[in-house]
Amino acid sequence: MRLPLLLSAAFLLSPALATPLAVTPIPDARVSAPRADLVPQPQKAAFPAGVLPLSGLGVQLTGSVPELGWAARDLREEWQTRLGAKLPDGGKTPIVIGTRADAELAAKARAAGLYTETPEGYALWVDGTGAYVMGADARGAYYGAQTLRQLLTPGGLRFARIQDAPALRQRVAMLYLDSNSQPVNDRLIPLLAQLKYNAVLVMSNYVQWDAARAGGWAHPGGATKAEAARVAKLAREHGLEVIPLIETLGHVGWMFGGGKNRDLMQDPDSQNPYAYDTLNPQTYERVIFPVLREAVEVFQPKVIHIGHDEVRNRDRFPARENGKAVGFEKLFVDDTLKLYAFLRARNVGTMIWHDVAFSDALIGSLPAKLPKDIQVAYWNYTADTETNTLSRIRALGFPVLGASGFKAGNPEGLARTALKSGAVGMIQTRWSGYFGNPSVWDGMAEQGVALVRGGASFWNPAGKAVTNADAVYRDLYAPGAYGQTAGSLVNLAPLVTRKLTDNDEKGWIQKGPDTDLRNLPAGKNVRIGAYRFDVSGAVMLRGNRAAVRDLPERVTVELGRKASALALLLTTGWPGNHREAVGRLEVRYADGSLLNVPLEYGRHLRAWTETAANAENLSMIPAPGWVGQTREGLDVNVPVLEWANPKPGVVIQSVSLVSEGKGANPTLIGLTLIGG
């Protein structure tokens, strides 16, 4: 990812610390390689030694259902992206994809001891004769192809014997429709298919519905109806059922845009309307029913999620005298039944959140007044996932799903509870703002990373947790070609200001040997993430804390070399404020030009104590680097910032790292030139 930069024609005078540094050319400065582990983890898998060569491979489909065509499409995309090669039809050595409806393929699966009839399950085996995927049904064949993609290496397909099927029937991930929908959802939808989700919950409040445009309350940041229809089609072509989420009763600020419909507010005194008046027929005739009608036409869904959560969190409800006379419970039930009937007349089911209708105060009376085919989504984003609420809702006769957040252990734990409780499935939620689609990569990427953890857990709750979920997310969201790039390791030893160890409280951050980076690999040529570095110590710069006030505010690395990119093993000694500029790179070229590259905390670098697993407001601009622990067991990390050089044909004379002297002080541990 390219960092922002500022260009000037000025020359940079080398400061006192600048000194020519030695470099070591290597052939594998950066390596992109296949992942070793399969995600989700299959229920049963073995990997005999051996690889099926790429030469002569071709796809053979043994049926005509759409899912088989999708499988072939995805395999061809994988070949093109990873290998820069085409995967033809036919071929001397087959990649056979079909279902158990094909008698010959089913017989082979039985002979291999991998046959399955479990819905959405598949058998997969790769040996010297070819690669074979037999789905228990069409969807299972598609999921088997997603696993086969992960067996691809530059040398061929890894031998494997896999029998697999999902533990939970519904596996749902959340998408948003806003003005940035296309570039984000076009990446997320194929990613979700690879993770074997089978449905998407699509936040659709702010779609520019015809009713909203005509009424003057459409939001300019919302997606168009055409984009909503396109996303729905793309999702279905990747095996994902589309469940629109249109928040009703509460969270309905969307219907009051431009100051419109204020006569329909539940609380006339509200400065920021949150709920609507259920006793005013115009609420339904003017807004709710027209929007639901359009949603049914655009998405063609089996189910619509109507929200109904946190209804009383902000405004008074009921606030009007006629509503007070009726009472909250009846207002809630009548509204739910009204929307349920409207959707049922169009052969569409209803889903709601659990927190109001099944709250402790109402669970004894309200649920009995609702139809039992309403699906209930129980959200729980805490560490306490051993809950009986799923079982209580199911015992009342409702189909129930769990809904998880991004906190450590939450999707994993709630998926296990959902399975034990007999829930029909799980939803991986994503709350990044109605117009925050880009933040799934840069700003709130922890919620994107959670899609990996959720996908793995919903398919196989008993499987091991994904420990490198950020790297998996990065690989699936922005996949690259397999291979290696040459470069040069820069020896930073002459510029080191702090040791990585701290035996005498004079090294690292001067907190002693239990709080240092002694476990970070060091040496002339060490592999860290996808990169190699020469690591000898830390070039730590000045900050506003006492331990680093006396350090230099800048250091200059004289290079005199070309490079297509710079890889920086970069961190800070302490945390900073999100997106605060804490330093910059000054890149001086031999032609006299200078680039200033701002370094924002949390976006381009972060503290060694702030790991991807515990960070909020996470950015994927830094690549995964080293992850480990201190001697006392604190989880720590050092990511890698790769800066794409906009002038690869011009010699880089020098690179200066400059600190702004704030709490988060830039600290360079390794520098590698990529290409050049």
Side-chain angles (χ1 to χ4, degrees):
M1 290 291 170
R2 180 164 293 177
L3 302 183
L5 47 85
L6 303 172
L7 177 62
S8 73
F11 286 91
L12 177 66
L13 297 177
S14 297
L17 282 178
T19 182
L21 297 182
V23 300
T24 303
I26 58 170
D28 56 346
R30 180 183 61 205
V31 174
S32 176
R35 302 190 311 272
D37 296 332
L38 301 184
V39 180
Q41 179 185 340
Q43 305 289 349
K44 297 179 181 179
F47 302 96
V51 173
L52 179 65
L54 296 171
S55 177
L57 285 179
V59 176
Q60 297 180 15
L61 305 180
T62 66
S64 58
V65 293
E67 287 85 347
L68 300 185
W70 304 342
R73 173 204 62 201
D74 292 355
L75 287 175
R76 291 190 178 101
E77 289 179 359
E78 192 76 11
W79 253 250
Q80 186 62 49
T81 299
R82 303 300 194 178
L83 307 177
K86 292 184 177 180
L87 177 63
D89 290 325
K92 179 181 177 182
T93 306
I95 298 176
V96 180
I97 305 174
T99 70
R100 61 189 175 94
D102 181 271
E104 182 179 352
L105 185 59
K108 288 183 177 180
R110 284 192 175 94
L114 300 172
Y115 181 83
T116 179
E117 296 186 1
T118 305
E120 296 187 312
Y122 64 91
L124 183 159
W125 65 103
V126 182
D127 56 28
T129 67
Y132 307 87
V133 175
M134 187 219 73
D137 48 31
R139 195 58 62 86
Y142 183 61
Y143 295 139
Q146 303 309 313
T147 299
L148 185 62
R149 297 173 70 171
Q150 299 183 62
L151 299 176
L152 180 64
T153 75
L157 289 167
R158 294 161 54 197
F159 283 1
R161 291 174 48 81
I162 297 171
Q163 186 186 66
D164 199 13
L168 291 169
R169 190 170 80 241
Q170 286 186 267
R171 304 173 303 281
V172 189
M174 200 165 170
L175 298 179
Y176 282 77
L177 289 171
D178 62 12
S179 58
N180 290 298
S181 169
Q182 182 166 353
V184 175
N185 288 327
D186 284 7
R187 290 180 179 269
L188 285 179
I189 286 171
L191 174 151
L192 297 175
Q194 291 191 66
L195 294 169
K196 301 184 176 69
Y197 286 94
N198 62 3
V200 283
L201 182 64
V202 185
M203 178 64 79
S204 306
N205 291 358
Y206 287 94
V207 171
Q208 295 183 3
W209 306 111
D210 293 344
R213 292 167 63 87
W217 40 276
H219 195 289
T224 65
K225 282 180 65 175
E227 172 61 10
R230 189 194 70 84
V231 167
K233 181 175 183 290
L234 184 65
R236 285 192 292 269
E237 291 173 350
H238 284 81
L240 299 164
E241 178 191 344
V242 179
I243 305 170
L245 169 57
I246 298 175
E247 294 175 303
T248 56
L249 198 56
H251 288 291
V252 295
W254 54 269
M255 65 180 278
F256 299 111
K260 303 297 183 179
N261 297 321
R262 297 185 72 86
D263 57 314
L264 306 181
M265 299 189 312
Q266 172 63 220
D267 187 347
D269 296 330
S270 177
Q271 299 302 306
N272 188 13
Y274 180 77
Y276 55 66
D277 181 5
T278 63
L279 297 180
N280 188 333
Q282 284 298 304
T283 294
Y284 304 96
E285 295 172 17
R286 190 194 309 166
V287 178
I288 302 301
F289 288 163
V291 167
L292 290 178
R293 186 179 296 111
E294 289 185 61
V296 171
E297 294 169 355
V298 167
F299 293 111
Q300 302 172 27
K302 297 177 182 177
V303 176
I304 288 182
H305 195 314
I306 62 171
H308 277 53
D309 61 316
E310 301 177 328
V311 175
R312 308 177 84 176
N313 278 26
R314 197 162 72 199
D315 290 347
R316 296 176 298 158
F317 195 132
R320 299 173 183 268
E321 292 305 316
N322 58 349
K324 292 177 181 178
V326 173
F328 174 75
E329 182 170 337
K330 182 170 174 51
L331 293 175
F332 183 97
V333 170
D334 288 351
D335 177 79
T336 304
L337 294 177
K338 194 184 298 280
L339 273 56
Y340 169 87
F342 181 88
L343 294 175
R344 187 178 184 185
R346 290 156 179 81
N347 296 315
V348 177
T350 299
M351 183 184 291
I352 64 173
W353 298 115
H354 85 287
D355 57 293
V356 176
F358 296 85
S359 65
D360 289 342
L362 296 174
I363 195 170
S365 56
L366 192 154
K369 302 169 185 175
L370 299 179
K372 293 297 189 291
D373 59 347
I374 290 180
Q375 296 183 38
V376 180
Y378 163 71
W379 57 266
N380 176 354
Y381 310 144
T382 72
D384 182 16
T385 57
E386 290 290 334
T387 171
N388 68 349
T389 307
L390 285 164
S391 296
R392 292 178 70 193
I393 295 172
R394 183 170 179 266
L396 290 170
F398 294 88
V400 62
L401 299 89
S404 50
F406 64 87
K407 294 291 188 181
N410 178 260
E412 297 83 356
L414 197 58
R416 290 191 294 269
T417 300
L419 181 62
K420 184 170 59 177
S421 303
V424 297
M426 282 287 298
I427 301 170
Q428 184 58 47
T429 64
R430 186 178 127 228
W431 302 109
S432 51
Y434 295 115
F435 312 106
N437 252 327
S439 69
V440 76
W441 181 260
D442 179 18
M444 299 181 75
E446 64 275 10
Q447 302 206 32
V449 173
L451 294 172
V452 174
R453 297 165 47 218
S457 300
F458 302 171
W459 182 270
N460 185 1
K464 64 181 181 180
V466 183
T467 56
N468 60 336
D470 58 326
V472 176
Y473 177 62
R474 185 183 190 86
D475 181 58
L476 295 180
Y477 189 90
Y482 294 145
Q484 64 184 37
T485 306
S488 299
L489 311 181
V490 180
N491 180 2
L492 296 175
L495 303 178
V496 166
T497 59
R498 285 284 168 86
K499 294 180 180 180
L500 298 176
T501 57
D502 191 12
N503 295 322
D504 54 5
E505 297 191 358
K506 294 181 180 179
W508 192 228
I509 60 169
Q510 299 185 351
K511 292 288 187 179
D514 290 337
T515 313
D516 63 17
L517 275 177
R518 67 181 57 239
N519 292 328
L520 175 70
K524 292 291 186 180
N525 186 341
V526 295
R527 170 68 62 197
I528 296 180
Y531 304 84
R532 289 198 177 276
F533 293 98
D534 181 338
V535 176
S536 56
V539 185
M540 185 175 283
L541 298 185
R542 179 182 302 166
N544 63 15
R545 294 177 182 261
V548 290
R549 285 193 193 122
D550 295 334
L551 295 179
E553 70 174 19
R554 69 159 60 215
V555 65
T556 297
V557 181
E558 295 288 344
L559 293 174
R561 291 176 173 269
K562 295 179 181 179
S564 59
L566 304 179
L568 300 97
L569 191 58
L570 187 65
T571 187
T572 67
W574 289 269
N577 297 320
H578 181 56
R579 301 228 169 186
E580 177 184 40
V582 297
R584 67 184 183 276
L585 296 175
E586 294 178 350
V587 183
R588 180 162 57 94
Y589 293 93
D591 65 5
S593 60
L594 174 70
L595 295 182
N596 285 304
V597 184
L599 298 175
E600 297 177 15
Y601 185 82
R603 191 161 190 239
H604 305 126
L605 72 174
R606 62 178 184 263
W608 66 298
T609 53
E610 188 173 350
T611 69
N614 65 28
E616 296 191 22
N617 302 313
L618 181 67
S619 173
M620 295 304 293
I621 291 176
W626 175 77
V627 178
Q629 290 187 327
T630 62
R631 197 163 76 175
E632 66 180 0
L634 177 68
D635 290 332
V636 292
N637 73 151
V638 184
V640 178
L641 177 66
E642 182 176 326
W643 176 71
N645 181 11
K647 302 172 68 173
V650 181
V651 169
I652 299 175
Q653 194 63 41
S654 66
V655 176
S656 295
L657 178 64
V658 184
S659 172
E660 299 293 342
K662 298 179 179 178
N665 57 318
T667 301
L668 182 65
I669 297 175
L671 174 63
T672 296
L673 310 182
I674 307 295

